[in-house]
Amino acid sequence: MTDLGAPARSSSQPAKGEAKAGLIARLRLFVKQILDELRKVVRPTKSELINYTLVVIVFVTVMMALTAGLDFGFTKLVDWVFGG
């Protein structure tokens, strides 16, 4: 059974008797953890990259056309309402 009265201690905090790691050791650990995470990254293949790029370009083009069309339409509407 666990003692509910004892305060929880995270793994990053040293116990009372332990010395805190130095700045260089902490930086080394940080860089090591970054490199470990980067090894887990799955990079897209060339065909996936081209496909994703084309999807983004088409989407942005459609959104630009939609925004330009709405802007043009609202401009004509305001000109018509206010007699411009």
Side-chain angles (χ1 to χ4, degrees):
M1 194 163 251
T2 61
D3 182 15
L4 297 176
R9 183 174 64 92
S10 70
S11 61
S12 63
Q13 295 175 346
K16 279 190 173 185
E18 297 175 7
K20 189 173 182 182
L23 178 64
I24 301 297
R26 287 184 288 160
L27 284 174
R28 186 174 293 148
L29 175 64
F30 179 68
V31 170
K32 180 185 176 303
Q33 290 173 343
I34 289 173
L35 293 176
D36 288 343
E37 289 298 320
L38 283 174
R39 285 187 193 98
K40 297 178 189 177
V41 173
V42 178
R43 289 173 176 79
T45 62
K46 184 177 180 178
S47 63
E48 288 175 334
L49 186 63
I50 291 170
N51 188 30
Y52 297 157
T53 303
L54 290 176
V55 167
V56 168
I57 289 172
V58 168
F59 177 77
V60 169
T61 304
V62 168
M63 294 307 293
M64 285 173 42
L66 178 67
T67 304
L70 288 172
D71 182 51
F72 180 76
F74 284 127
T75 301
K76 291 297 181 186
L77 179 66
V78 167
D79 285 344
W80 177 73
V81 168
F82 294 108

